[in-house]
Each structure stands twice: as structure tokens, then as C-alpha cells.
Amino acid sequence: MDFNVKKLASDAGVFFTRAVQYTEEKLGQAEKTELDAHLENLIARADCTKNWTEKIFRQTEVLLQPNPSARIEEFFYEKLDRKIPSRTTNAELLGQYMQDAAKEFGPGTPYGSTLITVGEFQKRLGGAEREFLHTSAINFLTPLRNFLEGDWKTISKERRLLENRRLDLDVCKARLKKAKSAEAKAAAEHELRVAQTEFDRQAEVTRLLLEGISSTHVNHLRCLHEFVEAQAAYYIQCHKHMQDLQKELSSANGDTFPNAFAVNASTSGVSTGPSPLSTATLPGASSPSRPPNPSNALESSTLKIEEVKPPATGTRKAKVLYDYDAADTSELSLLSDELITVYTVPGMDPDWLIGERGNQKGKVPVTYLELLS
């Protein structure tokens, strides 16, 4: 018990003298031993590495798991050294919802069958995402976490010890200056030599640890390459899945997206082909070629633009995708990005609509439009 009390009193005394020395240094009332330039540069480099590694680690966590609640849950599982439960990705959940909806709407309907197809590909995307998250966590996040929670804590501990040894050294230097008698000077010189030896030894230990930051950079560089490879593989998988999905959907476009403006064959006697509207909803594509002028006998003989009246129902808004110059007075010139009202009338070629802009009216090609409502 006496030993513990004495040790406690000794530690308290050392802490007090260090605190006094530190305060006097801050106030400019005491000299401070400066570290050599090489060690200072190593410390600055280590601090920079720690700060940026921490930021990269946190932001990568956000990238891989945007949900903060899920990140907190995973953090507690890691601290409790328990396996993190498997979590369904958003794409997999969306795919399941689509397939469940298809069962309700009827898998034999065009909408239901398409929901089943898209839902299956959403699940594949979710599976690719799950694999990417797992690979990135092991190959990239784990090494960064090991550095922050392992190597950096060791470096910080040794740096604190170095700072304490420096304070002890400066206290001894101050005592030597204040010593008056020969006996006091001898004792102060002995303490100074001991403090200098301990300081030099701790500086060497700290220097070796800080020089290991170069190895850390090499390790993190390798991990970064692995992260990029995993990310590239993930996006390649996603691209392939989406290409396959587009091929499956495009093969059914004729049945799934009929021409909403095609004339009913039973009333007009004009047959309707596959819808051209699918190309009118792709902004950014090159301007389509001018459609052929309608040569339908019924239209040329009976359709007069000035006499056409908009139907009570069935008008729609459309956005013009490309500039269009009218070929004759029956057509309406168009400017890219403007909005017009469009509708069809019996006897019209399915590649054309009637367009209205204010008091102007005329035929417009469907392929130059994006139908909005």
C-alpha cells in the first residue's frame, strides 16, 4: 500500500512538473527542445496520412452503405465481434416487388410479363451489388480500418511518450540552469543525461514507426487498385445485365407498345404497322430522316388541314426533339424544345399527327416528337 501511494505521489509530481513546463513554453517563459527536421517532416506526413485515410474511409462507407442506420448497426456488430447479418439490396427488393405485382396483375398480360422480366434483372443487379460490397469491404475498407485502429493508435501512443520525454528533458535543463551549488549541479547534470538518453531512445522508436508510413502507402495503393478492379467488374456486370434486358424488351416492343395514334382499321380502312413512337422518346439521338409525305388516297382526297377540328378527347402535349421545316402549306414547321398540342384524325397516316401551336396548325412527323401526356 505504501508503495502504491508513493508511486501515485511520484506520478503526480511528474505530471505537475510537465504541466508547468508546458504552460511556461506556451507563455514563452521557458525554452523548448525542438525535434530534428527529419522527424518533424515524418510527423507531418503521418498526420496528413491519418486525416485523409479517415476521410476516404468514411466516405467509402457512405458510398457502399448510404443508410446511416445500417452503418451504425454494422458498427455495433463489428464491436461485438459478431457476424453482420445479410441484408437485401434495394435492387433485389425492387425486383421482388415487381414480381409480386406481376402475380396480382396477371403474368400473362404484357405489363405483368414485363414486370417479371425486369424484376428478374433487378435481382441480378442486386446480386452484383452485393458481391461488389462484400469484395470492397474486405479488400479496401478493412485495410484502412486496420491502419486507423491499429497502426495509428500505436504511433499516437509513442508520440505521446516522446512528448513526455521531451518535457522531462526540458525540465532537467531548467533545473540545471537554476542549480547554484556544485552538488545540485552534479545531481541536475545526472538527471539531464538520463533524460537525454530516454528522449533519444524514444525519438528513435517514434522515427522507425513513422517511417513505416511509406509501407502503409504501398499497401493502401495495392488495396486501391483492388477496389477499382471490383468497381469496374461491378459496372461491367450491370452494363451486361441492362443490355440483356434491353434486348429482351425490344423483342417484345411490337406487342407491348402499340401505336396509340394509329387509326382503327375497322373505321378507316387503313392498316397500322408497328409503332414509330418508340424512336420519338429518345432525346439526344440524331435527327431522324424526313418521313415520306402521305400518299394515302383517302387522306389526299378528304383531309383538308383548315377544316380539321381537334377531337373532344385524345389531344396530347408533345415536346419537339428536332427542328423541322415544313415541306408544304399542309405541314407545320417545328423548333427544337418547343411544346405543341397534337392529335390524330381518321384517315391520317400513322407516321403523322396534326400539330397546333397557337393559331397555327399543320401535319407534323411523329418521329420528331416526344409525347408528354
Side-chain angles (χ1 to χ4, degrees):
M1 183 66 179
D2 291 341
F3 173 79
N4 290 337
V5 172
K6 290 179 180 179
K7 186 176 185 305
L8 181 62
S10 175
D11 291 343
V14 171
F15 176 80
F16 179 74
T17 55
R18 288 172 180 170
V20 171
Q21 176 66 26
Y22 182 80
T23 303
E24 290 179 348
E25 288 175 358
K26 291 298 181 182
L27 296 176
Q29 299 174 357
E31 294 182 2
K32 176 182 178 181
T33 300
E34 298 294 340
L35 302 176
D36 64 81
H38 177 61
L39 189 56
E40 289 283 7
N41 290 335
L42 290 176
I43 290 174
R45 185 172 182 237
D47 286 337
C48 181
T49 300
K50 182 261 182 182
N51 292 336
W52 284 110
T53 300
E54 198 168 44
K55 290 180 180 180
I56 292 173
F57 175 79
R58 299 302 175 199
Q59 192 57 40
T60 305
E61 279 190 321
V62 173
L63 172 68
L64 299 181
Q65 179 50 266
N67 187 341
S69 299
R71 292 201 302 273
I72 293 174
E73 180 183 350
E74 292 175 359
F75 173 79
F76 281 115
Y77 271 103
E78 290 173 0
K79 292 303 178 183
L80 295 173
D81 198 22
R82 297 180 60 183
K83 183 179 179 181
I84 300 175
S86 178
R87 184 180 285 106
T88 303
T89 63
N90 291 329
E92 289 174 317
L93 189 60
L94 174 61
Q96 187 59 52
Y97 285 168
M98 287 182 172
Q99 291 184 338
D100 291 344
K103 295 177 183 178
E104 295 288 336
F105 299 150
T109 64
Y111 185 36
S113 62
T114 303
L115 277 173
I116 291 176
T117 302
V118 176
E120 176 59 33
F121 278 90
Q122 290 298 324
K123 287 186 174 182
R124 295 182 189 179
L125 291 173
E129 180 185 1
R130 184 195 301 279
E131 182 180 352
F132 166 63
L133 296 179
H134 178 71
T135 303
S136 299
I138 294 176
N139 295 339
F140 190 60
L141 279 183
T142 299
L144 298 185
R145 183 187 294 110
N146 290 342
F147 168 73
L148 294 171
E149 297 181 357
D151 296 348
W152 183 252
K153 286 187 176 180
T154 302
I155 291 174
S156 299
K157 177 183 175 182
E158 296 302 327
R159 284 177 61 181
R160 287 193 297 270
L161 287 175
L162 177 63
E163 179 65 10
N164 289 338
R165 296 291 180 263
R166 185 198 63 76
L167 289 171
D168 293 341
L169 177 62
D170 289 335
V171 167
C172 292
K173 289 180 179 179
R175 284 176 183 170
L176 179 60
K177 287 183 178 181
K178 294 177 182 179
K180 300 298 183 182
S181 63
E183 183 179 349
K185 287 183 178 181
E189 288 175 352
H190 175 71
E191 291 178 356
L192 178 59
R193 285 193 296 271
V194 173
Q196 185 69 55
T197 301
E198 292 180 351
F199 172 77
D200 292 341
R201 183 186 300 113
Q202 186 59 40
E204 182 65 17
V205 171
T206 306
R207 182 184 64 80
L208 292 174
L209 286 173
L210 293 174
E211 288 177 346
I213 291 294
S214 297
S215 299
T216 299
H217 284 189
V218 173
N219 182 41
H220 288 181
L221 174 61
R222 177 182 58 80
C223 297
L224 182 59
H225 277 281
E226 292 179 354
F227 173 68
V228 172
E229 289 296 328
Q231 203 170 28
Y234 167 61
Y235 287 129
I236 289 173
Q237 279 186 294
C238 291
H239 181 64
K240 183 179 183 303
H241 289 325
M242 294 311 298
Q243 281 187 319
D244 293 343
L245 175 58
Q246 285 180 314
K247 289 178 182 178
E248 288 203 23
L249 294 182
S250 63
S251 65
N253 270 354
D255 296 329
T256 307
F257 302 110
N259 189 347
F261 287 92
V263 182
N264 190 310
S266 62
T267 59
S268 67
V270 181
S271 62
T272 59
S275 168
L277 298 186
S278 58
T279 60
T281 58
L282 299 174
S286 59
S287 175
S289 60
R290 178 188 294 268
N293 227 6
S295 57
N296 183 292
L298 176 62
E299 181 175 342
S300 60
S301 62
T302 62
L303 183 61
K304 296 182 178 180
I305 295 298
E306 63 274 9
E307 298 177 359
V308 171
K309 301 296 181 182
T313 60
T315 61
R316 299 177 70 173
K317 289 292 184 182
K319 178 182 177 182
V320 179
L321 299 178
Y322 319 99
D323 292 345
Y324 177 76
D325 295 326
D328 53 49
T329 56
S330 68
E331 297 180 7
L332 180 66
S333 294
L334 303 174
L335 293 176
S336 176
D337 294 331
E338 70 174 332
L339 295 179
I340 61 173
T341 301
V342 295
Y343 53 88
T344 188
V345 294
M348 279 209 67
D349 188 293
D351 290 338
W352 294 77
L353 298 172
I354 300 297
E356 288 189 0
R357 180 181 56 233
N359 295 326
Q360 296 178 309
K361 182 192 307 181
K363 294 179 295 183
V364 293
V366 173
T367 52
Y368 280 66
L369 306 174
E370 178 183 0
L371 301 176
L372 301 178
S373 62

